[in-house]
């Protein structure tokens, strides 16, 4: 539990609110970056005009903190503080729209900074009516500095916003000043997202040295989290960093290493008691809204549509998916994407195929978009669901702990109602949360909201079970349309639910929708497998119908408990039973009951397929880091040994001998003897003794497996 | 030597260029007014800084940058202020009455607080004066005991362009005429000289005014890129400052990759090399050089290159711009282009009347050259070529 009343993200968002000591103590990342600039400051005598800098980075990357850190270090350094004064501008300086305003502000800040500059502001202001005001004001400042043997370093945040207001003359003049007056040095900071005000094409800007704040590295992310845990006495943070550092890594990747977004998401996840992180989120969103909105408005219409669509995807999408979503031609979408990439709105993720993936570069912008423009709560918190799924990475006990924390915070009535709403929505949508659990969290939250924030009650979605119950009641009353609406609202639909809805459409004689709902999952399956076929040149696509049938059967067979191509049968039955309502209802009841059962086997099958496909595409790193997690492997190796065996064989076929070998650290070798010795067959030079331990009766099996592996290596090259 | 990017350097950060300095000294000794010519980022302002700090035999230098000035009178007002505030001025003991009066008049109209023994000023004067005439007067009367005053004006072409854009061509022509008259004034000959330069070329702007005859008095000195030996030395000095260890072979590779050895590109490469070194913490070899060069073309460095594209858009009419754009695309893709092909391209864009001027400005501004073979144009800079290929083509 935090003893510091202020949430972490609030400090991260507004470093100006931190005390000097707090900021310096918490400055654990970007040390090299800072030292590099500071070394330059420290070794510069400023007898001649010095190197001027602009620090760039996405929003939330730590630019403001960096400027403050530089200022504090100058103040703390004996040999600098006597002659060099850091002049720190506010994050927003709405009053500065010309160069003379800038000098006026400098005079004001100098006066605030030290009594030795008392009266400077008034002195410069006396000339404010003069045509030459800018030069006169600067002259006064420079002469005052010279008289006191001082020099200044201007630390200007969001410098793009200020310079954007300058006319050409001011800009040229500022360049003159910076090139010829050694008393002034400038270090600016600017965001690189949607900052069209900051026009790099103007000659002025290429005379700065640009320093880029990239996303945090793996080690930096860990250091940051540890330090924050330490400063804010958060045991939960410390535990995660020390014992489950992979989660920090997931978080880093999801956020692109943007400090503020990382801390925000992390805080949302670990904090149980008050949900104040959501309040911070609201504040953050309110603050960036004018800027983001005006930048969105400035984009050409087609780009706006693409950006909106990408925001709704959250995850990376292909140009084709985008084109379908915005209903534009692919080539138009591609051209606009190029523009958006150039302007750093969108980032491209290269794939091995021509179908590259695209997503919004700044994840916080994406969060902002969803939170502001999502029509329903579930849409608004899509990012949270996706984030939690990745962050939890299949670890049910970890998730349960978090859910229990959430429920006790509701029981104790300490949780902010909005936080309760958002978190419950997110938990309920997660694949890993079963329907009973989702139902119980939803109901509890609904009761809590009725007591604490009745206006939010209607924003809470119904759980799947609630919707199914409602659908049942509708069916009992022959209200099939009502039932359809209820079932359509269910999240994470199971295959049978698609058919159930199709069946209900059949009952209301809406053939078009019936076909749509029948075909939806089938089409999805077919296109999924077809894509694989296209990519694997060895499989011919002649005799397509037969192949499709086989594929569908195969796909659905493995996804069903009883290995029966049930859906195919159901599809045919539904079509043929068009006139037989009674039979149709019985059928639906049957499917309905089936859907209530949890289907672990299906999940495991999905895991198996997913892993094999990733390996087929040589995505070894992803498999290693995301799929081969200790707990998952442990679970599989006890109940689904055959799957582990299959995956190892596939790894060997893909020449991933060491990766396969490592897996044996996570399982009981005695359960996987044949694949274990087959693996050693490939590594016998390095583990000769171990290989010799192979029991003689195993030899033949290993030889067979090696043959199989060699064939697979050819088939899945 | 520190790796200073963008800003002109001075003091120990200046890489000595004795050949260029010698040529400037010789030309000034011959009594010329000098125009330092080179594309952007070759180091012209840094050379001026060197001259200001170190001087030359029998010569004192003052430096002023007039980039923001867009008015003839403002131009002379700024120069007058600079001269009056200069060390050379303060050392004067005997002055003529005419000199004293002109100086007083200027001081009354410019906000300067200088303590000059020969000047007495009671109140500010609001009567209108001609800054250029008073400035000319003080130059005429200036006695520096056989010393020559060299007035260095940075961004002179920009001032001319500003006047042309803000006040119109006739005033720009008048500005040039006044400057020429000043330079030709026999009373200042042998005492005062001008050394001009700018980040944009002077001749193309003067050409627009159809007034090349007004700048014939300037002795043009080209500032060339560094040669391989100089560039290697400069790079080594920068890297030494950051304790970067590098294999000699890798220095050679860097220089080959940079190709057009202007200080700025050396600094840009050095910056990436330093970054790679600090990140990897291992001696820089050819493999790491490769990585550093890939980083140069990262979009974060676009700011240093986009301006070249933008200048074409700004300075050329649309058909000429399209011609230049396609020409550069072709050179980027094929390494060079035959002169005959440039004409063919001009036909395609209907710019046969103007394409030669466009080619000339591309050469002048440092985009392309035909040094090796007069019949073939190629990019000056391999880095810029790769950038063009990646971001423009």
């Amino acid at each position: 539990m935090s003893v510091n009343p202020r949430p972490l993200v609030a400090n991260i968002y507004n470093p100006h609110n931190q005390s000097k000591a707090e900021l310096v103590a918490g400055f654990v990342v970007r040390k090299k970056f800072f030292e590099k600039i500071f070394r330059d400051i420290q070794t510069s005598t400023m007898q001649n005009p010095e190197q001027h800098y602009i620090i760039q980075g996405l929003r939330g990357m730590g630019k403001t903190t960096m400027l403050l850190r530089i200022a504090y270090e100058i103040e703390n350094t004996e040999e600098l503080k006597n002659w060099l004064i850091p002049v720190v501008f506010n994050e927003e300086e709405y009053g500065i729209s010309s160069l003379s305003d800038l000098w006026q502000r400098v005079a004001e800040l100098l006066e605030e900074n030290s009594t030795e500059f008392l009266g400077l502001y008034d002195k410069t202001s006396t000339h404010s009516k003069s045509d030459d005001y800018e030069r006169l004001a600067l002259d006064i400042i420079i002469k005052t500095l010279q008289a006191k043997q001082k020099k200044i370093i201007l630390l200007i945040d969001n410098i793009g916003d200020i310079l954007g207001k300058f006319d050409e003359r001011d800009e040229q003049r500022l360049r003159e000043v910076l090139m010829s007056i050694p008393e002034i040095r400038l270090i600016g900071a600017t965001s690189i997202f949607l900052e069209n005000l900051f026009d790099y094409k103007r000659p002025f800007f290429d005379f700065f040295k640009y320093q880029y704040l990239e996303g945090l590295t793996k080690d930096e992310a860990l250091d940051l989290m540890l330090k924050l845990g330490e400063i804010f006495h958060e045991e939960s943070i410390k535990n995660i960093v020390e014992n489950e550092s992979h989660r920090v890594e997931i978080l880093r990747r999801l956020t692109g290493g943007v400090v503020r977004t990382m801390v925000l998401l992390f805080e949302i996840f670990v904090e149980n008691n008050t949900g104040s992180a959501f309040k911070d989120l609201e504040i953050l969103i309110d603050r960036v809204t004018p800027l983001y909105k005006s930048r969105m408005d400035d984009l050409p219409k087609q780009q706006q549509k693409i950006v909106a669509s990408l925001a709704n995807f959250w995850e990376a999408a292909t140009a084709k998916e985008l084109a379908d979503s915005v209903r534009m031609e692919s080539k138009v979408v591609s051209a606009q994407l190029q523009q958006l990439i150039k302007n750093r709105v969108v980032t491209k993720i290269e794939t091995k195929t021509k179908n590259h993936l695209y997503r919004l570069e700044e994840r916080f912008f994406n969060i902002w978009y969803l939170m502001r423009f999502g029509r329903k709560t579930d849409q608004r918190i899509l990012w949270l669901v996706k984030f939690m799924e990745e962050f939890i990475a299949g670890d049910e006990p970890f998730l349960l702990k978090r859910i229990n924390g959430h429920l006790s915070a509701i029981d104790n009535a300490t949780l902010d109602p909005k936080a309760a709403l958002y978190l419950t929505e997110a938990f309920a949508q997660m694949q890993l949360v079963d329907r009973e659990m989702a139902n119980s969290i939803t109901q509890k939250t609904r009761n809590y909201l009725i007591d604490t924030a009745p206006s939010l009650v209607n924003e809470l979605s119904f759980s799947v079970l609630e919707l199914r119950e409602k659908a049942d009641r509708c069916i009992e009353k022959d209200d099939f349309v009502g039932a359809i609406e209820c079932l359509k609202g269910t999240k994470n639909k199971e295959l049978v639910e698609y058919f159930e809805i199709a069946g209900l459409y059949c009952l209301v004689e809406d053939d078009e929708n019936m076909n749509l709902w029948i075909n939806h999952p089938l089409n999805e399956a077919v296109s999924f497998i077809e894509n694989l076929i296209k990519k694997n040149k060895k499989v011919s696509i002649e005799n397509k119908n037969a192949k499709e049938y086989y594929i569908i059967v195969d796909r659905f067979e493995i996804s069903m408990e009883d290995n029966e191509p049930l859906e195919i049968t159901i599809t045919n039955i539904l079509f043929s039973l068009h006139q037989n309502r009674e039979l149709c209802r019985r059928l639906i009841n049957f499917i309905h009951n089936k859907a209530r059962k949890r289907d672990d086997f299906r999940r495991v099958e999905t895991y198996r397929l997913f892993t094999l496909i990733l390996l087929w595409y040589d995505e070894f790193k992803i498999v290693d880091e995301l799929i081969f997690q200790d707990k998952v492997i442990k679970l599989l190796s006890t109940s689904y040994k055959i799957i582990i065996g299959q995956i190892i064989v596939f790894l060997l076929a893909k020449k991933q001998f060491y990766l396969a070998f490592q897996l044996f650290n996570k399982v009981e070798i005695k359960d996987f003897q044949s694949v274990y010795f087959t693996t050693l067959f490939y590594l016998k030079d390095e583990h000769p003794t171990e290989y010799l331990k192979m029991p003689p009766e195993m030899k033949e099996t290993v030889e067979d497996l090696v043959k199989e592996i060699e064939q697979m290596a050819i088939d899945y090259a | 030597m520190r790796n200073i990017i963008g800003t002109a350097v001075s003091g120990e950060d200046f890489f000595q260029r004795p050949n260029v300095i010698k040529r400037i000294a010789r030309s000034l000794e011959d009594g010329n007014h000098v125009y330092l010519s080179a594309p952007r980022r070759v180091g012209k302002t840094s050379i001026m800084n060197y001259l200001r700090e170190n001087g030359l035999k029998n010569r004192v230098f003052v430096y002023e940058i007039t980039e923001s000035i867009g008015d003839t009178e403002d131009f002379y007002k700024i120069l007058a202020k600079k001269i009056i505030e200069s060390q050379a001025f303060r050392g004067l003991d005997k002055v003529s009455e005419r000199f004293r009066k002109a100086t007083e008049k200027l001081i009354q109209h410019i906000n300067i607080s200088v303590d000059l023994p020969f000047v007495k000023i009671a109140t500010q004067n609001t009567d209108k004066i001609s800054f250029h005439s008073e400035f000319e007067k003080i130059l005429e009367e200036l006695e520096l005991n056989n010393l020559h005053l060299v007035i260095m004006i940075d961004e002179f072409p920009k001032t001319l362009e500003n006047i042309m854009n803000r006040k119109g061509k006739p005033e720009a022509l008048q500005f040039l005429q006044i400057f020429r008259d000043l330079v030709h004034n026999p009373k200042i000959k042998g005492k005062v000289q001008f050394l001009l330069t700018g980040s944009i070329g002077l001749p193309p702007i003067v050409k627009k005014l159809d007034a090349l005859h007004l700048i014939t008095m300037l002795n043009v000195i080209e500032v060339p890129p560094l040669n391989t030996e100089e560039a290697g030395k400069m790079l080594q000095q920068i890297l030494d400052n950051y304790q970067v260890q590098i294999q000699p072979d890798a220095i050679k590779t860097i220089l080959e990759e940079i190709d057009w050895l202007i200080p700025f590109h050396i600094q840009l490469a050095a910056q990436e090399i330093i970054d790679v070194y600090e990140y990897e913490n291992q001696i820089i070899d050819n493999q790491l050089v490769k990585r550093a060069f890939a980083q140069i073309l990262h979009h974060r460095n676009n700011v240093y290159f986009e301006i070249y594209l933008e200048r074409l858009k700004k300075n050329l009419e649309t058909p000429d711009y399209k011609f230049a754009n396609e020409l550069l695309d072709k050179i980027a893709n094929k390494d060079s282009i035959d002169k005959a092909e440039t004409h063919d391209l001009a036909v395609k864009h209907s710019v046969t009347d103007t394409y030669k001027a466009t080619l000339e400005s591309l050469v002048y501004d440092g985009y392309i050259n035909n040094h090796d073979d007069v019949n073939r144009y190629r990019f000056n800079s391999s880095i810029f070529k790769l950038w063009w290929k990646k971001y423009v083509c």
Side-chain angles (χ1 to χ4, degrees), chain A residues 15-271:
Chain A
H16 283 277
N17 285 351
Q18 284 179 277
S19 73
K20 192 168 164 177
E22 270 175 349
L23 188 133
V24 173
F27 193 86
V28 285
V29 291
R30 320 279 201 204
K31 279 189 165 167
K32 269 191 177 174
F33 185 101
F34 160 72
E35 279 160 11
K36 204 168 170 180
I37 295 185
F38 191 73
R39 201 165 47 228
D40 185 13
I41 294 171
Q42 211 169 9
T43 52
S44 301
T45 57
M46 287 181 68
Q47 294 309 309
N48 292 305
E50 293 287 355
Q51 175 82 69
H52 306 287
Y53 287 94
I54 285 185
I55 298 171
Q56 279 195 318
L58 291 173
R59 289 184 172 271
M61 207 55 115
K63 297 180 292 295
T64 309
T65 305
M66 186 61 69
L67 291 181
L68 285 172
R69 182 70 187 88
I70 291 170
Y72 295 156
E73 192 65 15
I74 293 170
E75 287 169 354
N76 288 344
T77 305
E78 211 49 51
E79 63 269 29
L80 289 179
K81 69 178 186 191
N82 295 327
W83 64 271
L84 184 60
I85 306 168
V87 180
V88 183
F89 286 65
N90 289 336
E91 259 186 278
E92 278 110 16
E93 290 281 1
Y94 297 115
I96 302 175
S97 57
S98 67
L99 191 55
S100 45
D101 292 338
L102 181 77
W103 301 143
Q104 215 166 352
R105 184 79 180 117
V106 169
E108 200 172 28
L109 288 168
L110 277 172
E111 212 174 299
E112 281 171 17
N113 186 287
S114 158
T115 48
E116 65 178 326
F117 293 100
L118 222 57
L120 183 62
Y121 179 77
D122 286 344
K123 212 168 158 190
T124 55
S125 301
T126 50
H127 298 280
S128 61
K129 297 266 160 38
S130 162
D131 291 343
D132 243 1
Y133 177 48
E134 180 276 308
R135 283 178 189 267
L136 294 173
L138 178 65
D139 255 8
I140 292 169
I141 294 170
I142 298 300
K143 293 223 164 83
T144 310
L145 289 170
Q146 283 169 344
K148 299 186 183 303
Q149 295 183 314
K150 299 272 158 90
K151 298 187 189 266
I152 52 176
I153 188 158
L154 308 182
L155 297 157
I156 307 181
D157 212 350
N158 295 319
I159 193 169
D161 290 348
I162 290 178
L163 297 179
K165 292 181 202 158
F166 283 14
D167 62 17
E168 192 193 13
R169 234 173 287 194
D170 274 346
E171 209 174 76
Q172 290 172 335
R173 173 77 182 128
L174 179 60
R175 185 165 176 262
E176 278 175 13
V177 171
L178 297 176
M179 272 178 78
S180 56
I181 297 183
E183 276 75 19
I184 299 180
R185 188 172 198 174
L186 193 157
I187 300 183
T190 184
S191 300
I192 44 178
F193 176 69
L194 285 174
E195 294 287 329
N196 44 7
L197 273 181
F198 196 74
D199 182 359
Y200 301 103
K201 291 161 191 146
R202 277 142 60 181
F204 178 58
F205 295 113
D206 71 342
F207 103 114
F208 287 99
K209 188 170 189 170
Y210 287 80
Q211 297 290 304
Y212 295 83
L213 277 172
E214 306 275 8
L216 294 185
T217 62
K218 195 174 174 180
D219 290 342
E220 283 178 324
L222 285 171
D223 286 349
L224 173 74
M225 288 298 168
L226 252 184
K227 192 72 192 176
L228 288 175
E230 197 181 292
I231 293 174
F232 295 92
H233 308 284
E234 285 280 3
E235 275 306 309
S236 51
I237 298 182
K238 210 175 153 208
N239 283 340
I240 288 178
V241 176
E242 283 176 357
N243 305 322
E244 299 185 78
S245 61
H246 65 278
R247 290 193 207 286
V248 178
E249 178 58 5
I250 292 169
L251 184 64
R252 186 185 74 87
R253 288 192 197 169
L254 282 174
T255 56
V258 176
V259 183
R260 192 196 302 152
T261 318
M262 261 186 83
V263 175
L264 173 78
L265 292 182
F266 196 79
E267 196 179 14
I268 283 177
F269 193 80
V270 296
E271 198 212 30

Side-chain angles (χ1 to χ4, degrees), chain A residues 369-611:
Chain A
Y369 187 90
L370 289 169
M371 290 293 280
R372 270 286 176 269
F373 299 107
R375 276 186 298 115
K376 290 184 182 165
T377 313
D378 56 351
Q379 265 179 304
R380 288 207 288 276
I381 49 97
L382 172 70
W383 57 274
L384 187 57
V385 178
K386 300 288 181 187
F387 154 67
M388 283 192 170
E389 278 179 344
E390 296 255 12
F391 191 68
I392 285 154
D395 185 347
E396 280 195 53
F398 184 76
L399 175 65
L400 271 179
K401 208 171 140 199
R402 179 63 185 92
I403 291 177
N404 287 335
H406 175 65
L407 292 175
S408 1
I410 292 180
D411 284 340
N412 298 333
T414 55
L415 195 59
D416 174 64
K418 233 176 193 170
L421 169 71
Y422 289 152
L423 281 168
T424 294
E425 280 282 347
F427 287 134
Q429 282 189 45
M430 288 177 70
Q431 302 263 6
L432 211 57
V433 175
D434 67 41
R435 291 180 168 187
E436 278 81 11
M437 171 67 91
N439 189 45
S440 120
I441 309 171
T442 305
Q443 288 184 348
K444 195 163 208 173
T445 306
R446 184 168 296 108
N447 291 335
Y448 183 59
L449 292 180
I450 290 169
D451 292 341
T452 55
S455 62
L456 293 180
V457 174
N458 289 338
E459 289 194 31
L460 183 67
S461 307
F462 287 105
S463 72
V464 173
L465 292 185
E466 284 172 335
L467 286 168
R468 293 198 63 86
E469 270 173 34
K470 277 182 155 198
D472 281 350
R473 284 200 296 276
C474 289
I475 291 170
E476 277 162 23
K477 286 185 258 165
D478 280 353
D479 176 10
F480 301 122
V481 175
I484 289 171
E485 284 316 304
C486 293
L487 291 176
K488 274 164 82 176
T490 55
K491 293 279 175 318
N492 302 330
K493 286 184 188 56
E494 308 242 330
L495 203 54
V496 283
E497 268 148 3
Y498 286 97
F499 292 107
E500 205 169 10
I501 295 169
L504 286 163
Y505 273 120
C506 172
L507 293 173
V508 295
E509 297 179 11
D510 181 345
D511 288 1
E512 198 182 325
N513 269 316
M514 179 189 76
N515 286 329
L516 200 73
W517 282 86
I518 288 172
N519 287 327
H520 186 275
L522 295 181
N523 284 342
E524 210 171 79
V526 170
S527 65
F528 173 78
I529 306 289
E530 262 187 350
N531 277 336
L532 291 187
I533 292 172
K534 274 183 209 157
K535 283 166 192 164
N536 184 355
K537 291 168 195 158
K538 288 187 174 52
V539 180
S540 105
I541 43 174
E542 292 162 22
N543 195 6
K544 197 167 169 246
N545 289 341
K547 189 152 284 162
E548 254 179 37
Y549 179 79
Y550 168 76
I551 288 160
I552 294 164
V553 171
D554 187 42
R555 170 102 170 95
F556 292 155
E557 253 183 359
I558 56 169
S559 69
M560 296 302 293
E561 202 169 354
D562 45 13
N563 285 347
E564 197 177 286
L566 184 63
E567 277 73 15
I568 303 300
T569 322
I570 294 168
T571 314
N572 289 326
I573 294 170
L574 283 174
F575 274 115
S576 61
L577 293 186
H578 194 261
Q579 301 303 320
N580 192 339
R581 287 177 166 219
E582 196 45 45
L583 190 57
C584 202
R585 174 177 280 191
R586 275 169 51 201
L587 184 63
I588 285 161
N589 283 341
F590 166 73
I591 303 168
H592 194 173
N593 286 331
K594 198 171 172 57
R596 288 173 191 264
K597 296 179 191 166
R598 273 192 67 200
D599 195 349
D600 280 342
F601 182 78
R602 192 178 149 195
R603 283 190 196 173
V604 172
E605 278 301 328
T606 313
Y607 173 88
R608 181 184 75 101
L609 258 185
F610 187 46
T611 310

Side-chain angles (χ1 to χ4, degrees), chain A residues 306-315 360 365-366 369-370 382:
Chain A
I306 292 170
V307 168
S309 172
L310 271 177
N312 286 322
F313 273 111
W314 175 260
E315 283 166 348
L360 293 182
F365 173 69
N366 204 147
Y369 187 90
L370 289 169
L382 172 70

Side-chain angles (χ1 to χ4, degrees), chain A residues 36 50-51 176 212 344, chain B residues 2 5 68 275 299-300:
Chain A
K36 204 168 170 180
E50 293 287 355
Q51 175 82 69
E176 278 175 13
Y212 295 83
R344 304 284 311 262
Chain B
R2 291 180 303 167
I5 289 188
S68 66
D275 278 356
H299 52 67
R300 66 189 181 195

Side-chain angles (χ1 to χ4, degrees), chain B residues 55-71:
Chain B
L56 286 174
K57 198 180 164 199
N58 297 330
R59 277 176 171 75
V60 285
F61 290 82
V62 289
Y63 168 90
E64 184 58 281
I65 174 168
T66 60
E67 183 179 352
S68 66
I69 304 293
D71 176 273

Side-chain angles (χ1 to χ4, degrees), chain B residues 251-269:
Chain B
I251 295 247
K252 208 174 138 219
T253 311
I254 295 170
L255 300 183
E256 279 167 8
E257 290 280 345
I258 298 175
D259 184 23
W260 192 42
L261 299 168
I262 62 170
F264 178 62
H265 284 183
I266 294 169
Q267 289 160 331
L268 206 54

